[in-house]
Amino acid sequence: MLRLSRSPGLPGTRAPSVPVARLLRETEEHWHGLFARDGRRLLCTTGDTPDDIRVPGAPVAEILGILLDNARVHGRGTVHLTVRDLGDALAFDVADEGVIETPRPFERGHTGDGGEGIGLALARDLTVTLGGRLSLTGRRPTTFTVLVPVCQDGTEDRTGDSDD
């Protein structure tokens, strides 16, 4: 939580942007070993997303980290992180081969397995601060989708004001 509170991209601040291809590469490098130790695979793909599209780096990395950790701890099988280009936004889909039984996955509270159940709620709140949305888009297999506006002029601007 401390890292989240100190990271750029909170309301009223601008988050440095990074190319989505670099963000995905760094995410895969960070998480690959963790999944491999559990005997699982992580597959990351950008599909037809142009390499130069930029997103708020640190906040999106935090959101993806929460979703990937959730898939690693609570999910099963291969985890797929896929980026889709939606024009003025990107969709990051995180899917595993498990089935989600929780009726309200974003509700804070105990997870039933010793966790506090705040990770998904934090990811959702951070996504909202970026002007995006986090949704459970599939229960079988479990799929979470993060919609994030793309950055203009190298920074993420939540105010809608132009720097021109």
Side-chain angles (χ1 to χ4, degrees), residues 21-68:
R22 181 174 121 200
L23 175 68
L24 212 61
R25 185 177 59 253
E26 290 173 354
T27 299
E28 186 171 26
E29 288 170 1
H30 176 81
W31 287 94
H32 172 77
L34 294 168
F35 280 99
R37 274 185 276 194
D38 294 341
R40 296 174 63 194
R41 292 178 58 197
L42 172 63
L43 300 175
C44 298
T45 57
T46 58
D48 61 355
T49 305
D51 290 344
D52 61 342
I53 290 184
R54 301 175 74 85
V55 294
V60 174
E62 287 288 343
I63 295 162
L64 294 177
I66 291 168
L67 295 176
L68 290 169

Side-chain angles (χ1 to χ4, degrees), residues 65-78:
I66 291 168
L67 295 176
L68 290 169
D69 187 59
N70 192 67
R72 188 177 67 84
V73 172
H74 302 290
R76 294 191 339 234
T78 299

Side-chain angles (χ1 to χ4, degrees), residues 5-159:
S5 69
R6 293 178 183 144
S7 73
L10 295 174
T13 66
R14 288 183 179 212
S17 66
V18 298
V20 69
R22 181 174 121 200
L23 175 68
L24 212 61
R25 185 177 59 253
E26 290 173 354
T27 299
E28 186 171 26
E29 288 170 1
H30 176 81
W31 287 94
H32 172 77
L34 294 168
F35 280 99
R37 274 185 276 194
D38 294 341
R40 296 174 63 194
R41 292 178 58 197
L42 172 63
L43 300 175
C44 298
T45 57
T46 58
D48 61 355
T49 305
D51 290 344
D52 61 342
I53 290 184
R54 301 175 74 85
V55 294
V60 174
E62 287 288 343
I63 295 162
L64 294 177
I66 291 168
L67 295 176
L68 290 169
D69 187 59
N70 192 67
R72 188 177 67 84
V73 172
H74 302 290
R76 294 191 339 234
T78 299
V79 175
H80 296 267
L81 169 56
T82 306
V83 182
R84 295 179 286 125
D85 183 4
L86 304 176
D88 60 351
L90 293 179
F92 294 85
D93 299 310
V94 177
D96 65 62
E97 297 172 10
V99 177
I100 191 163
E101 303 290 339
T102 305
R104 293 184 297 277
F106 299 106
E107 188 172 283
R108 297 174 196 260
H110 294 285
T111 62
D113 61 1
E116 294 297 321
I118 62 172
L120 291 175
L122 284 173
R124 182 201 55 213
D125 293 349
L126 185 54
T127 303
V128 168
T129 68
L130 297 175
R133 184 175 64 223
L134 172 59
S135 304
L136 173 65
T137 53
R139 290 184 176 273
R140 189 178 302 259
T142 301
T143 306
F144 287 92
T145 300
V146 180
L147 297 176
V148 180
V150 296
C151 295
Q152 305 298 323
D153 301 321
T155 59
E156 192 272 333
D157 186 1
R158 275 178 301 289
T159 64

